[in-house]
């Protein structure tokens, strides 16, 4: 009978603790990343009944109940898949954001942009073939030529500006990734301490999982659980968080990595870092960004490195398989700048397009004569000879002599009154492929080694093709983004069904544990009455 009081006490304690866990769940119903907790009931150790003769009666007598643990309802397999899909979704989403910025800034859909500038340029030359002596027509040709240069410059400036913004996002993303790594390492320490003391640090585990979820938005990660309760985090096979140690990522300007003759080195304050040998090919980071020199478009851009002591390991496409960071790097270096695939390398391709087009027009104009019958020997589209073809747009300008005096512009081949033959040939270039040799030139004068994307097309057709390929790339990316977002939504629902707090279910638990508590209290009341009866039996 006395033992029944102990059983009732244990039950009261267990039901009360279960009510506390349920209350904690209800309180955190709107807490992002909170995992539902469950009190696990387990019978306490029973004992056998020993008779006065020393024999053991059949069966055992229970001694009550206890809460063996407070279980955190979480599915590691679902978490792993959720983070993998999150990395993919973030990769496509950040690319879509940059694509949207470029779409609105370049704007080739409306009746404006480079396509219209090219059309107006050729129309002006056609007018010049009809009225070669009209000073107004000559002025229009000069103005439309300047407008064409401005249109090329506008596209280039928009691409360079967007690339600079993307580079800024890369630097900020790296800073946040490092902060997340430090927070995970700190939580590892706290969780290890709690685990070593036999505790179940559920809320700390939730905080760490939330950080891992956030980290998966930036990079593709692999989590490895350690026996101490800590985790190690890898980025594409490279150790980022090792228990309580963080190998930080550094975003280093490409021109600050200097080749010392013994490999590339980087100095930051009093510390000097060395790039591990054999990891850099052709003196370029990620096979695109030249090290130790300025970037031809933006002066300098950030390159990504994982620190291991005083050594640097390039964090490039060999390790970045998804996440916001990969998407930003791909947009900055491949799509906007240096890519060779269709719809990519916009800066490089538009500059090469301008270079070969301007060069051809210059050669054609040098075969003509001005209104005074003088041969034209200057470059109408002028730039420094040291400028590389892939960055010609920023340096090109019109011949100042012609700008100040349009009569110096050669429109005919003979220079005779009414000769607009040269202007007509230039106007016909609107539909001629760039490699086509005009009547006034020969294969010795014009035999360019055109890149593949320019072959067989006029300059206007090349630009339309580039925009069409770029638009197709945008559509493909958006299709993949929608697909991964749908999968992510399904995994989110699956996670919520397992780990989320269901208020209806918690309400049922409240009633269940309240009734368990009430009945345990009832046991105390009944036993108290029985004891009172026994104690008072002698007084009757």
């Amino acid at each position: 009978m006395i033992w029944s009081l102990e059983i009732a006490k244990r039950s009261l304690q267990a039901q009360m603790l279960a009510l506390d866990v349920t209350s904690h769940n209800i309180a955190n119903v709107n807490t992002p990343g909170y995992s539902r907790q469950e009190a696990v009931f387990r019978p306490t150790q029973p004992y056998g009944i020993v008779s006065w003769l020393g024999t053991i009666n059949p069966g055992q007598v229970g001694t009550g109940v206890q809460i063996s643990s407070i279980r955190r309802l979480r599915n590691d397999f679902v978490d792993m898949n959720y983070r993998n899909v999150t990395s993919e979704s973030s990769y496509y989403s950040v690319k879509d954001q940059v694509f949207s910025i470029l779409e609105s800034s370049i704007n080739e859909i409306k009746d404006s942009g480079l396509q219209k500038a090219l059309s107006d340029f050729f129309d002006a030359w056609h007018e010049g073939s009809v009225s070669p002596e009209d000073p107004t027509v000559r002025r229009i040709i000069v103005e439309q030529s300047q407008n064409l240069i401005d249109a090329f410059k506008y596209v280039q400036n928009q691409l360079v500006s967007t690339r600079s913004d993307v580079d800024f996002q890369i630097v900020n993303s790296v800073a946040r990734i490092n902060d997340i790594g430090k927070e995970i390492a700190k939580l590892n320490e706290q969780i290890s301490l709690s685990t070593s003391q036999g505790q179940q640090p559920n809320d700390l585990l939730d905080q760490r999982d939330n950080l891992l979820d956030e980290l998966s938005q930036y990079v593709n990660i692999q989590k490895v659980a350690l026996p101490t309760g800590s985790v190690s985090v890898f980025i594409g096979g490279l150790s980022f968080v090792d228990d309580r140690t963080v190998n930080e990522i550094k975003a280093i300007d490409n021109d600050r990595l200097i080749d010392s003759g013994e490999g590339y080195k980087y100095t930051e304050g009093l510390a000097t870092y060395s790039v591990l040998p054999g990891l850099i090919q052709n003196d370029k980071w990620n096979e695109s960004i030249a090290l130790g020199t300025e970037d031809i478009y933006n002066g300098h851009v950030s390159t990504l490195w994982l620190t291991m002591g005083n050594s640097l390991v390039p964090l490039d496409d060999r390790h970045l398989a998804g996440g916001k960071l990969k998407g930003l790097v791909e947009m900055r270096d491949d799509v906007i700048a240096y890519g060779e695939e269709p719809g990519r390398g916009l800066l490089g391709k538009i500059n090469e397009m301008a270079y070969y087009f301007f060069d051809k027009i210059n050669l054609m104009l040098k075969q003509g004569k001005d209104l005074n019958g003088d041969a034209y020997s200057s470059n109408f589209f002028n730039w420094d000879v040291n400028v590389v073809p892939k960055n010609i747009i920023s340096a090109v300008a019109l011949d100042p002599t012609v700008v100040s005096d349009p009569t110096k512009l050669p429109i005919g081949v003979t220079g005779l009154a009414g000769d607009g033959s040269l202007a007509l040939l230039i106007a016909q270039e609107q539909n001629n492929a760039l490699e086509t040799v005009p009547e006034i030139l020969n294969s010795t004068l014009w035999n360019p080694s055109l890149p593949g994307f320019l072959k067989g097309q006029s300059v206007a057709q090349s630009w339309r093709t580039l925009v069409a390929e770029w638009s197709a790339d945008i559509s493909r990316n958006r299709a993949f983004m929608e697909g991964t977002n749908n999968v992510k939504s399904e995994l989110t629902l699956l996670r919520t069904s397992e780990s989320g707090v269901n208020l209806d279910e918690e309400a049922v638990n409240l009633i269940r544990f309240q009734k368990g508590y009430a009945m345990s209290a009832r046991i105390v009341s009944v036993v108290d009455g029985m004891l009172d009866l026994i104690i008072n039996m002698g007084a009757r």
Side-chain angles (χ1 to χ4, degrees):
M1 186 183 303
I2 299 297
W3 191 248
S4 294
L5 288 176
E6 179 63 24
I7 292 175
K9 184 195 78 171
R10 291 180 178 180
S11 178
L12 287 170
Q13 291 173 335
Q15 304 299 332
M16 192 67 244
L17 183 53
L19 279 169
D20 289 342
V21 172
T22 302
S23 300
H24 186 55
N25 286 338
I26 294 171
N28 286 279
V29 65
N30 294 316
T31 301
Y34 175 79
S35 300
R36 183 164 58 96
Q37 298 177 18
E38 179 182 71
V40 179
F41 288 82
R42 190 182 72 182
T44 51
Q45 184 68 33
Y47 65 91
I49 303 175
V50 182
S51 71
W52 67 279
L53 294 176
T55 60
I56 300 177
N57 292 331
Q60 294 179 324
V61 176
T63 58
V65 70
Q66 65 179 355
I67 301 297
S68 62
S69 65
I70 299 175
R71 181 168 57 192
R72 174 172 169 264
L73 299 176
R74 195 87 181 198
N75 189 318
D76 286 339
F77 180 73
V78 174
D79 283 346
M80 180 187 68
N81 282 276
Y82 175 83
R83 288 168 189 147
N84 290 339
V85 172
T86 296
S87 291
E88 291 185 38
S89 175
S90 297
Y91 164 73
Y92 292 118
S93 295
V94 76
K95 285 180 63 180
D96 185 67
Q97 293 171 13
V98 180
F99 274 133
S100 297
I101 294 171
L102 291 175
E103 275 187 304
S104 61
S105 58
I106 294 178
N107 194 10
E108 282 294 324
I109 298 176
K110 297 181 181 179
D111 188 22
S112 61
L114 181 56
Q115 190 66 46
K116 185 175 188 303
L118 283 166
S119 178
D120 291 344
F121 172 80
F122 288 116
D123 287 346
W125 281 100
H126 186 271
E127 288 296 320
S129 70
V130 176
S131 305
E133 297 177 3
D134 189 336
T136 302
V137 171
R138 287 174 169 268
R139 174 57 64 185
I140 290 174
I141 292 175
V142 172
E143 290 177 353
Q144 292 302 333
S145 298
Q146 184 60 55
N147 288 343
L148 179 60
I149 291 175
D150 292 343
F152 271 111
K153 287 183 182 290
Y154 174 78
V155 174
Q156 163 134 330
N157 290 339
Q158 292 300 314
L159 291 171
V160 170
S161 176
T162 302
R163 191 165 182 250
S164 180
D165 293 340
V166 171
D167 189 67
F168 183 73
Q169 289 189 57
I170 289 173
V171 174
N172 286 344
S173 296
V174 168
R176 179 55 189 154
I177 290 170
N178 287 330
D179 287 343
I180 293 173
K182 293 173 185 176
E183 292 179 49
I184 290 175
K186 184 177 180 180
L187 284 169
N188 275 343
E189 182 178 3
Q190 297 174 353
I191 290 170
S192 295
L193 179 61
S194 297
T195 303
S196 67
Q197 296 172 347
Q199 300 176 359
Q200 180 70 12
N202 291 328
D203 292 334
L204 293 177
L205 292 170
D206 279 347
Q207 292 178 39
R208 190 174 67 186
D209 278 336
N210 287 343
L211 290 171
L212 290 170
D213 289 347
E214 184 183 356
L215 184 60
S216 68
Q217 296 176 20
Y218 291 96
V219 288
N220 50 294
I221 63 171
Q222 302 85 39
K223 182 191 82 170
V224 177
L226 303 177
T228 59
S230 298
V231 296
S232 290
V233 181
F234 295 84
I235 300 175
L238 297 177
S239 176
F240 176 52
V241 178
D242 184 12
D243 195 0
R244 304 176 191 183
T245 303
V246 181
N247 297 317
E248 291 190 22
I249 300 172
K250 288 191 176 294
I252 304 173
D253 290 343
N254 64 305
D255 54 348
R256 294 190 62 190
L257 284 144
I258 307 301
D259 189 353
S260 64
E262 299 178 351
Y264 282 95
K265 296 185 182 298
Y266 164 67
T267 300
E268 184 179 76
L270 298 177
T272 298
Y273 298 87
S274 300
V275 177
L276 290 178
L279 299 179
I280 296 297
Q281 299 178 1
N282 301 320
D283 296 318
K284 291 182 178 180
W285 179 84
N286 207 24
E287 300 183 4
S288 59
I289 303 299
L291 299 177
T293 185
E294 287 191 350
D295 180 79
I296 64 174
Y297 300 121
N298 292 78
H300 57 258
V301 293
S302 301
T303 56
L304 305 178
W305 308 83
L306 195 74
T307 57
M308 293 185 177
N310 287 328
S311 297
L312 296 174
V313 177
L315 187 61
D316 52 23
D317 284 349
R318 289 171 289 187
H319 306 289
L320 294 175
K324 180 178 180 180
L325 201 57
K326 177 179 173 59
L328 291 171
V329 168
E330 185 175 314
M331 290 300 297
R332 184 194 68 181
D333 300 337
D334 190 30
V335 174
I336 297 179
Y338 301 114
E340 298 293 339
E341 296 297 320
R344 304 201 165 200
L346 300 177
L347 272 172
K349 289 178 179 178
I350 193 176
N351 272 277
E352 288 183 305
M353 184 190 307
Y355 172 80
Y356 288 106
F357 175 66
F358 290 155
D359 192 35
K360 186 175 185 180
I361 299 299
N362 283 343
L363 285 173
M364 294 177 70
L365 289 174
K366 287 179 181 179
Q367 312 308 310
K369 295 181 180 180
D370 62 21
L371 278 178
N372 300 321
D374 296 328
Y376 184 72
S377 59
S378 301
N379 286 321
F380 182 57
F381 294 103
N382 188 38
W383 60 84
D384 190 321
V385 294
N386 295 318
V387 176
V388 296
K390 286 199 172 185
N391 196 25
I392 195 71
I393 292 174
S394 60
V396 70
L398 289 181
D399 180 3
T401 302
V402 175
V403 172
S404 61
D405 184 7
T407 62
K408 300 293 185 181
L409 180 67
I411 288 184
V413 175
T414 64
L416 298 175
D419 182 8
S421 58
L422 182 56
L424 180 60
L425 289 173
I426 292 177
Q428 291 173 347
E429 286 299 307
Q430 183 171 11
N431 298 314
N432 289 342
L434 274 174
E435 66 264 35
T436 303
V437 180
E439 293 179 12
I440 56 173
L441 298 178
N442 56 53
S443 58
T444 302
L445 290 173
W446 183 246
N447 186 24
S449 299
L450 295 178
F453 78 96
L454 288 177
K455 291 181 179 179
Q457 302 182 101
S458 67
V459 63
Q461 291 168 337
S462 296
W463 175 241
R464 285 196 297 269
T465 300
L466 185 59
V467 171
E469 291 171 344
W470 177 53
S471 299
D473 200 11
I474 294 174
S475 298
R476 281 193 299 271
N477 184 78
R478 286 179 179 163
F480 284 123
M481 180 182 69
E482 291 174 2
T484 54
N485 284 343
N486 289 337
V487 175
K488 183 179 177 181
S489 297
E490 292 176 3
L491 286 171
T492 299
L493 289 175
L494 182 59
R495 265 181 140 195
T496 302
S497 67
E498 291 200 33
S499 301
V501 175
N502 185 313
L503 289 178
D504 292 336
E505 185 177 335
E506 299 303 325
V508 171
N509 287 336
L510 280 177
I511 296 172
R512 189 158 60 94
F513 299 139
Q514 185 268 337
K515 286 187 175 181
Y517 188 90
M519 294 311 296
S520 299
R522 179 62 179 164
I523 293 173
V524 174
S525 178
V526 169
V527 172
D528 178 65
M530 294 172 66
L531 288 173
D532 182 66
L533 179 63
I534 292 173
I535 292 171
N536 292 308
M537 284 179 65
R540 294 176 182 175

